[in-house]
Amino acid sequence: MILPKTLKILEYDKILAEVSKYAVLEKTKQLILNTMPASNFLDADFLLKKTEEAYKLLFTFNVGGVYYFDDVSEELTRVNKGGTLINAEFLRVLSNLKSAKLLKNSISAVSEPSIKILDELASNLVLCTDLEEEIARVIISEDEINDHATPKLYSIRRSIRSLNAKIREKLNSYMRGNPEKYMQDSVVTMRHDRYVIPVKSEFRSQVKGFIHDQSASGATVFIEPDVIIELNNELKRAMLDEANEINKILAELSNRVALVSEDIKNNAEIIGEIDLSFAKAFYSFGNKNTKPNLVDNGVIDVKKGKHPLINKEKVVPIDVCIGKDFNILLLSGPNTGGKTVTMKLVGLISLMAMSGLYIPAQEDSTVSVFNGVFCDIGDEQSIEQNLSTFSSHILNIKSILDSIDEKSLVLIDEIGAGTDPDEGSSIALATIEKFLKTNCFGIFTTHYTRLKEFAINNDKIENGSMEFDPVSFKPLYKLNVGIPGNSNAIEIAKSLGFDNEIVNKAISYLSTEKIEFVNIIKKAEISIRENEELIKKQTEINNKKQEELNKISLEREKIEKEREKINQNAKQEVKRIVEDKLEEAEEIIEELKSILNRVGLESKELFKAGELRNRLRNSKSLAYDVNQPLELKPIEKKNIKTGNKVYVKKVNSYGVLGKIKQEKEEAEVFIGNVKFLVKFNEIFTSIEDDKPLKQPKKTENDVKIYKSNLTYLPKSEINVLGKTTLEAISDIEQFISEAILNNLEEIKIIHGVGTGALLKCIRGYLSKCKNVLEFRRGKYGEGENGVTIIKLN
């Protein structure tokens, strides 16, 4: 049960007035103003779900809302009784039909499983497409019917236009044949749907015809000349035929409206229901309200709630919770601290949620549905009934006690006030005990110490207070649960400049118990404030640390991704090199076989065979399976020598040791064309092989070559013709490293002349390379400007 008096006190009607401004249809506006909150969970939940669906349709799927139309109930009643509508009425019916079509099409176009209720409503709209098209075709405006509404109407109107032309032509000819002095004006006009000419009154006997009218002064008479009487008669008959045809068209169209009148009425009801949900959604969106968690267990947990009728620039958000650990919250503290506003906020938010409205609070706020909301707030003294404030107060409470149960919300301001404090507190205490027995929920405000003490010792009721600044005694509009509030009447009087003698005297009249109780509350308030400050500081510190940890975590994740990327690239490069080397090895083997199979080898061919053998050795040293699991051990320092084959675990690849830096305990490792600088502790060797690169297995032909005392001659030149600058520099860098390992002093780069871009890039690189002592262009016979000769350190 929710009494109209309760709705008025909580200003529920003002909320409805605001919501109604968002409705499109006038009928919906009135429907909103008459809305009552649902008093059971299923109904309230249904209303809230409709608002949620409307919110999604409007602000997620951009549905355009309801198209305005006028109420046509009277018109439909008349056509059902055989009446005929006029143009303007047909246009109002047309707006109904259009609105239904637009709304149904826009909602049905949204494919979203969570839109169920409004989708079903829209699916029940009946589209009268044929009738809509016919009205739009026939009715051009409030005053005009389409010429082509029927073939007969078109024929009649064509005849009327022809007769009008003939009559005007006849009259103009007639006026030209009569003396100008007879005519008052040379303008053809109409009287009583018949063409006439204006004739001076004194010459009316000179013009044969029928007088239809005269001017107000009597100086002019309007005569229908004999020569056009028959034509005017024909025009009149044609106009009557036109009117009859139009009446016939409108009557037939009215009959068609009558056939679908029930559908139009039902459509209007459905559209009004959807318009109502849309209005709630628009109001919620415009005020930045949020959807509450609706329950039916009496819990109200409002987070950062704002009273919707207080200026948005001035309202202070507040947290309120009842129904979890206790049923009733007993608010105390000085006046003007926000106790009554807090109580009204809880009541009004409950009514809004029970009406399917979003609430002015933070997300995840919880509101219960109550079967009754009761309140006693404000001075309701009645002169007519000769009731005092206290009497009115008691009668209200009596009425509330007679009506409540365990699913009621009760809001009472200054319970037991308005009479002797001792008696008032006694009545208030007894009343609260009665409320607690009913297991109802609510908020009461009080200044009575007895009630505060009672709340301390009872689990179903909890003290609460509105926080005040301890120095200025200005309200902070913050609710503290668990601590009763002081009225601070004496301190407020003192701060307002009240006489010190009176203030001191008032303090002396306070009982020892009262002073002790006040001091305990003050100490508790100070402790709470200090604790809140500590919590705030600790929270700030924790947030700052968490931000730093998040940054570190992001950096670590970034580094891991980079490392993984480098490893992956290295693996791919190694795999590519292995495949290239294996292919090269096969070619070398074939070439070696071809050389060694010849009879009577020359020294030139033996040299070529030796070179091929060394190339084969280099190719085979890198030919391994990158995915094969290895048994590894850290390399011993004695085996850290230039040319040793090693395993670099962090890139999962074999390589060859280059320059050793003992003092820094790091070494250069060449993996294909890629050079790494690696710490000793990151270098491993296979348990089976921690020796320098194995020599290929000697064949009979190898022995012959060795016996010829031919030694391996490392490459002293490189050809980078046709390569990009990046490819060329990469190859030259590797070439220089190998030349240094083989103790070469002079090497050659063949690059050609071309556009000069490659030459410029190579010499730019050489000028910065620390291993290059000097370089020059080739001389005559060496390749001139197409080569570069380098001396190494």
Side-chain angles (χ1 to χ4, degrees):
M1 178 191 302
I2 303 175
L3 300 173
K5 180 175 70 173
T6 297
L7 300 178
K8 184 177 180 181
I9 291 172
L10 296 177
E11 299 177 287
Y12 175 72
D13 57 324
K14 293 182 179 179
I15 298 297
L16 296 183
E18 288 297 313
V19 177
S20 69
K21 293 177 183 178
Y22 293 92
V24 173
L25 307 178
E26 292 301 322
K27 199 170 182 180
T28 307
K29 292 180 186 291
Q30 197 57 46
L31 196 62
I32 291 171
L33 294 175
N34 295 330
T35 297
M36 289 290 289
S39 56
N40 69 76
F41 177 79
L42 291 178
D43 290 345
D45 187 56
F46 181 74
L47 293 175
L48 194 60
K49 283 178 179 175
K50 285 173 66 178
T51 304
E52 182 182 15
E53 289 186 13
Y55 199 100
K56 287 181 181 178
L57 287 170
L58 293 170
F59 306 113
T60 301
F61 300 102
N62 298 316
V63 169
V66 171
Y67 179 85
Y68 177 81
F69 60 86
D70 291 309
D71 182 20
V72 291
S73 301
E74 293 183 5
E75 287 86 344
L76 296 178
T77 300
R78 196 162 71 253
V79 295
N80 282 326
K81 292 180 179 179
T84 300
L85 303 182
I86 60 175
N87 287 20
E89 291 170 330
F90 276 115
L91 292 176
R92 288 198 286 274
V93 171
L94 181 62
S95 67
N96 275 256
L97 300 175
K98 283 183 176 180
S99 182
K101 181 177 73 175
L102 288 172
L103 187 60
K104 181 169 186 172
N105 290 344
S106 61
I107 293 178
S108 62
V110 175
S111 179
E112 170 57 39
S114 63
I115 309 295
K116 297 178 180 177
I117 302 169
L118 298 187
D119 183 61
E120 185 177 352
L121 280 173
S123 69
N124 290 327
L125 290 169
V126 178
L127 301 187
C128 307
T129 306
D130 292 343
L131 177 60
E132 178 189 340
E133 291 175 352
E134 185 64 9
I135 294 175
R137 186 184 72 84
V138 172
I139 311 297
I140 293 176
S141 69
E142 292 186 0
D143 305 310
E144 188 177 358
I145 299 288
N146 189 348
D147 287 354
H148 298 278
T150 63
K152 185 176 181 180
L153 180 63
Y154 177 75
S155 176
I156 292 170
R157 285 183 172 175
R158 186 174 61 180
S159 175
I160 289 172
R161 286 191 290 271
S162 176
L163 286 169
N164 280 322
K166 285 181 182 179
I167 292 171
R168 285 181 174 276
E169 184 181 351
K170 196 81 171 174
L171 284 176
N172 288 331
S173 175
Y174 179 80
M175 286 189 290
R176 286 195 298 271
N178 281 281
E180 189 176 334
K181 65 179 181 179
Y182 295 172
M183 301 298 139
Q184 186 70 27
D185 199 348
S186 60
V187 177
V188 175
T189 185
M190 295 191 81
R191 287 293 185 275
H192 310 301
D193 293 330
R194 299 181 76 87
Y195 282 98
V196 295
I197 57 174
V199 179
K200 292 177 181 177
S201 184
E202 60 268 28
F203 295 109
R204 59 187 171 184
S205 61
Q206 303 299 319
V207 178
K208 293 183 179 181
F210 185 79
I211 298 174
H212 283 277
D213 200 359
Q214 68 176 11
S215 66
S217 63
T220 305
V221 292
F222 297 95
I223 299 175
E224 179 185 3
D226 290 345
V227 294
I228 65 163
I229 287 176
E230 187 54 38
L231 287 173
N232 265 338
N233 288 340
E234 287 185 37
L235 179 62
K236 185 69 175 178
R237 284 193 294 271
M239 292 175 69
L240 289 173
D241 289 342
E242 179 191 32
N244 289 333
E245 183 62 17
I246 288 174
N247 287 337
K248 182 181 177 183
I249 292 168
L250 296 180
E252 289 178 354
L253 206 53
S254 296
N255 288 335
R256 292 186 64 177
V257 171
L259 292 174
V260 295
S261 60
E262 286 303 314
D263 291 333
I264 296 174
K265 285 180 183 178
N266 292 335
N267 283 353
E269 292 295 324
I270 293 170
I271 295 170
E273 191 174 346
I274 295 174
D275 187 30
L276 174 58
S277 296
F278 279 180
K280 291 178 181 179
F282 275 121
Y283 169 80
S284 300
F285 180 82
N287 290 276
K288 298 180 180 178
N289 292 356
T290 63
K291 178 178 174 287
N293 298 322
L294 211 60
V295 297
D296 65 346
N297 56 5
V299 172
I300 296 177
D301 187 6
V302 176
K303 299 172 182 177
K304 305 297 180 187
K306 298 179 181 180
H307 197 291
L309 299 176
I310 297 177
N311 188 307
K312 290 181 175 60
E313 303 298 323
K314 296 180 180 180
V315 66
V316 179
I318 193 166
D319 296 340
V320 188
C321 183
I322 63 172
K324 288 184 177 179
D325 300 322
F326 52 87
N327 284 26
I328 294 176
L329 178 64
L330 185 69
L331 280 178
S332 54
N335 293 326
T336 72
K339 300 192 303 295
T340 304
V341 171
T342 299
M343 185 164 52
K344 282 187 171 183
L345 168 67
V346 170
L348 187 54
I349 279 181
S350 298
L351 295 177
M352 290 174 70
M354 291 159 64
S355 302
L357 287 167
Y358 283 15
I359 62 173
Q362 189 174 291
E363 288 184 341
D364 294 330
S365 292
T366 298
V367 180
S368 182
V369 176
F370 298 97
N371 59 17
V373 178
F374 305 88
C375 67
D376 180 67
I377 301 173
D379 186 357
E380 295 188 14
Q381 182 175 354
S382 172
I383 296 175
E384 292 180 0
Q385 296 183 20
N386 195 27
L387 294 175
S388 67
T389 300
F390 179 73
S391 299
S392 174
H393 181 60
I394 290 299
L395 284 176
N396 282 339
I397 292 176
K398 177 185 179 300
S399 175
I400 292 170
L401 284 168
D402 291 340
S403 305
I404 62 171
D405 58 22
E406 69 279 0
K407 286 198 172 184
S408 298
L409 177 65
V410 182
L411 308 169
I412 299 179
D413 194 21
E414 301 296 345
I415 186 169
T419 187
D420 175 78
D422 285 339
E423 292 187 13
S425 63
S426 298
I427 292 174
L429 182 56
T431 304
I432 286 175
E433 288 178 332
K434 180 67 174 177
F435 277 121
L436 292 175
K437 286 181 180 179
T438 65
N439 290 320
C440 68
F441 302 87
I443 300 178
F444 302 159
T445 68
T446 187
H447 288 285
Y448 293 143
T449 302
R450 282 180 74 183
L451 301 188
K452 301 174 193 177
E453 292 172 343
F454 173 76
I456 292 173
N457 299 310
N458 193 299
D459 292 337
K460 286 187 177 182
I461 185 170
E462 182 62 86
N463 276 302
S465 58
M466 304 307 295
E467 191 170 325
F468 269 70
D469 186 285
V471 178
S472 65
F473 293 102
K474 290 183 178 179
L476 300 177
Y477 304 107
K478 181 182 178 183
L479 176 61
N480 287 328
V481 176
I483 299 296
N486 284 318
S487 296
N488 292 330
I490 295 175
E491 287 86 348
I492 291 172
K494 186 177 180 180
S495 68
L496 294 173
F498 212 58
D499 188 283
N500 282 336
E501 184 181 349
I502 298 175
V503 169
N504 293 331
K505 198 72 174 175
I507 292 172
S508 69
Y509 288 145
L510 292 174
S511 66
T512 304
E513 293 80 4
K514 173 67 175 177
I515 294 172
E516 289 177 352
F517 187 77
V518 168
N519 288 335
I520 289 170
I521 293 175
K522 283 183 177 178
K523 288 179 181 178
E525 288 175 346
I526 291 170
S527 296
I528 289 172
R529 199 168 293 111
E530 289 175 348
N531 188 51
E532 286 176 348
E533 286 298 320
L534 288 173
I535 291 172
K536 183 179 178 181
K537 289 179 181 177
Q538 187 60 47
T539 301
E540 290 175 355
I541 292 170
N542 291 342
N543 289 341
K544 191 174 180 181
K545 285 184 177 178
Q546 189 60 48
E547 286 179 9
E548 292 174 355
L549 287 172
N550 290 341
K551 286 180 181 178
I552 292 169
S553 179
L554 287 173
E555 287 297 322
R556 182 181 293 167
E557 186 178 343
K558 186 177 178 183
I559 291 169
E560 288 298 329
K561 285 182 178 178
E562 287 295 326
R563 179 181 291 175
E564 184 179 343
K565 185 177 178 182
I566 291 170
N567 290 346
Q568 188 64 30
N569 290 341
K571 287 178 182 179
Q572 290 175 356
E573 176 66 10
V574 169
K575 186 176 181 181
R576 184 188 66 78
I577 293 167
V578 168
E579 289 172 352
D580 290 348
K581 291 296 183 180
L582 287 172
E583 186 177 344
E584 184 183 356
E586 292 298 329
E587 292 175 0
I588 293 169
I589 289 168
E590 290 302 320
E591 195 171 349
L592 272 173
K593 285 180 180 178
S594 175
I595 292 171
L596 295 174
N597 287 334
R598 293 177 195 169
V599 179
L601 296 177
E602 297 179 2
S603 60
K604 181 180 178 181
E605 291 173 327
L606 289 173
F607 174 78
K608 177 69 173 175
E611 185 181 10
L612 289 172
R613 182 203 61 198
N614 286 297
R615 284 177 60 198
L616 180 59
R617 180 188 304 153
N618 291 338
S619 296
K620 287 184 175 180
S621 69
L622 292 174
Y624 63 92
D625 184 356
V626 296
N627 296 314
Q628 185 178 354
L630 301 170
E631 291 187 65
L632 303 172
K633 66 177 182 179
I635 193 167
E636 298 179 11
K637 284 193 176 182
K638 66 179 182 179
N639 290 328
I640 301 178
K641 297 176 183 178
T642 299
N644 275 21
K645 182 174 72 173
V646 294
Y647 182 80
V648 182
K649 196 170 184 179
K650 68 179 182 179
V651 294
N652 191 26
S653 299
Y654 267 119
V656 178
L657 282 173
K659 188 175 180 180
I660 310 298
K661 299 179 181 179
Q662 291 288 352
E663 66 281 0
K664 294 185 178 180
E665 292 194 344
E666 59 186 21
E668 291 180 351
V669 178
F670 290 91
I671 300 176
N673 292 331
V674 183
K675 180 174 70 177
F676 292 88
L677 192 61
V678 184
K679 292 290 185 183
F680 286 175
N681 60 6
E682 295 176 347
I683 301 172
F684 293 81
T685 183
S686 169
I687 290 175
E688 298 176 358
D689 183 13
D690 57 1
K691 299 175 183 179
L693 286 173
K694 292 182 179 180
Q695 298 294 335
K697 186 177 179 182
K698 294 179 181 180
T699 66
E700 185 180 345
N701 291 328
D702 288 332
V703 175
K704 291 179 182 178
I705 295 173
Y706 281 37
K707 286 180 180 178
S708 301
N709 294 320
L710 291 174
T711 58
Y712 168 64
L713 295 177
K715 289 168 63 176
S716 61
E717 66 179 46
I718 186 171
N719 188 336
V720 293
L721 283 169
K723 296 192 177 183
T724 65
T725 54
L726 289 176
E727 291 172 342
I729 295 301
S730 177
D731 289 350
I732 290 169
E733 183 180 14
Q734 176 65 19
F735 173 58
I736 291 173
S737 298
E738 290 177 358
I740 291 170
L741 288 173
N742 289 290
N743 297 316
L744 296 181
E745 294 182 358
E746 187 175 275
I747 57 176
K748 181 198 294 187
I749 300 174
I750 302 170
H751 44 66
V753 179
T755 62
L758 182 59
L759 171 62
K760 184 179 179 182
C761 182
I762 290 172
R763 291 185 178 172
Y765 165 74
L766 294 175
S767 65
K768 297 176 183 178
C769 182
K770 63 182 181 179
N771 293 320
V772 175
L773 183 63
E774 62 181 42
F775 61 90
R776 62 176 174 81
R777 59 171 284 181
K779 297 177 183 178
Y780 179 76
E782 289 180 323
E784 300 182 60
N785 208 37
V787 303
T788 298
I789 309 300
I790 303 168
K791 281 192 176 182
L792 299 172
N793 285 327

